[in-house]
Amino acid sequence: MRLLFLGDVVGRSGRDAVAERLPGLIARYGFDFVVVNGENASHGKGLIETHFQGLRDAGADIVTLGDHAFDQREALSYIEREPTLIRPVNYAPGTPGRGAMMVEGRNGHRVLVVNALGRVFMPPIDDPFRAVEAAIADAPLGEVADAVIVDFHTEATSEIQAMGHFLDGRVSLVVGTHTHIPTSDHRVLKGGTGFMADAGMCGDFDSIIGTDTDEPLNRFLTGIPNGRFTPAEGEATLCGVAIETDPATGLARHICPLRVGGVLSQVLPDFAER
């Protein structure tokens, strides 16, 4: 299988880039399944239903969230009827929605996607390691699921690295989101799990993590809020990671970062077209 994961979509610029470029990437490289993190897609915080549908229409099979999952209040209601929208699995019991979902891909493959929220430098949350372990136990890789993707939304690279080694050999891909900065540590771990500490963002990189520079700079320099953070509206770069799995095991045999358009463009240099 060929799987594509796109990092945090930020604002209108990120949404437009996904809509314009994702269908072509799917056709060009023959991706069987696509996951997109959409937690910053609506005005930089949260995800309204029309923007969720836009990501789905562009080709996302599953849309994941993070610490801004419910910043747009309407998400509390529509997430219940949208099985392809998942929030962190380690939210408290009773939180609307679901944290893991099995979805059939374009060629009938069964893909389990799990979303989890980290605890280092993040708001208090239940243990992500045990929550993810429980989720994958219900659909073992190579037995029930043909592929398993874990989106770990966390601040610290050490925590995402720990999750990668914790799940090595049991899932197809562990990828970090949240910091909006793509890392250069993509690799296949010893047990066969694809790993990247942060996929980066789908947004305008001529910014401060997707935000117009004025207000973040003001707060760093003065410590006094002077307005809202506003998503930057320049040309976005699509950032993410692609893997190809072994059909017999569901583990990764090849991994490649994706950076398309904007200031960081680098289109899957080691990934053959189909």
Side-chain angles (χ1 to χ4, degrees):
M1 288 183 67
R2 287 191 163 191
L3 311 173
L4 176 65
F5 183 96
L6 294 182
D8 310 45
V9 178
V10 182
R12 180 188 300 276
S13 178
R15 297 194 312 269
D16 288 349
V18 171
E20 292 167 6
R21 297 180 181 274
L22 179 55
L25 288 169
I26 293 171
R28 180 177 176 184
Y29 293 100
F31 289 114
D32 301 298
F33 199 85
V34 178
V35 180
V36 177
N37 184 290
E39 75 133 15
N40 297 126
S42 298
H43 322 299
K45 283 190 174 184
L47 182 64
I48 64 174
E49 188 168 9
T50 55
H51 294 163
F52 162 73
Q53 291 295 343
L55 297 177
R56 290 278 286 130
D57 292 344
D61 296 287
I62 286 274
V63 177
T64 56
L65 295 168
D67 57 310
H68 294 299
F70 300 113
D71 282 15
Q72 301 293 331
R73 301 296 291 177
E74 67 179 76
L76 289 164
S77 58
Y78 86 84
I79 196 173
E80 292 283 11
R81 64 175 183 274
E82 293 291 353
T84 57
L85 176 65
I86 61 173
R87 45 77 175 163
V89 69
N90 53 326
Y91 273 146
T95 301
R98 58 204 61 76
M101 193 66 194
M102 177 98 75
V103 177
E104 188 173 292
R106 290 167 181 76
N107 294 319
H109 300 106
R110 300 161 299 173
V111 182
L112 174 68
V113 182
V114 186
N115 189 196
L117 195 60
R119 294 193 292 186
V120 179
F121 309 126
M122 299 287 275
I125 195 76
D126 291 346
D127 181 359
F129 292 85
R130 298 307 174 194
V132 172
E133 187 169 50
I136 68 171
D138 292 335
L141 181 64
E143 298 177 25
V144 177
D146 297 306
V148 178
I149 298 171
V150 177
D151 171 1
F152 193 24
H153 200 79
T154 186
E155 189 78 43
T157 51
S158 59
E159 193 176 20
I160 179 62
Q161 287 176 338
M163 182 66 80
H165 289 288
F166 179 67
L167 297 175
D168 189 19
R170 297 191 284 168
V171 304
S172 309
L173 174 67
V174 175
V175 59
T177 54
H178 179 67
T179 74
H180 295 194
I181 305 299
T183 55
S184 60
D185 62 338
H186 59 281
R187 62 196 186 276
V188 177
L189 300 175
K190 291 179 181 179
T193 292
F195 175 84
M196 188 173 181
D198 200 290
M201 69 174 179
C202 298
D204 178 5
F205 275 86
D206 188 16
S207 66
I208 295 176
I209 62 168
T211 300
D212 279 338
T213 60
D214 289 351
E215 182 56 17
L217 276 174
N218 166 68
R219 296 193 192 186
F220 280 121
L221 292 171
T222 71
I224 302 172
N226 193 41
R228 296 181 178 180
F229 290 133
T230 304
E233 295 293 343
E235 182 185 358
T237 302
L238 285 192
C239 285
V241 62
I243 68 166
E244 190 161 17
T245 63
D246 184 326
T249 65
L251 294 169
R253 60 186 183 189
H254 183 54
I255 185 169
C256 186
L258 168 77
R259 298 173 188 173
V260 182
V263 298
L264 300 180
S265 189
Q266 180 188 42
V267 184
L268 295 171
D270 303 319
F271 221 72
E273 297 182 20
R274 282 185 172 176

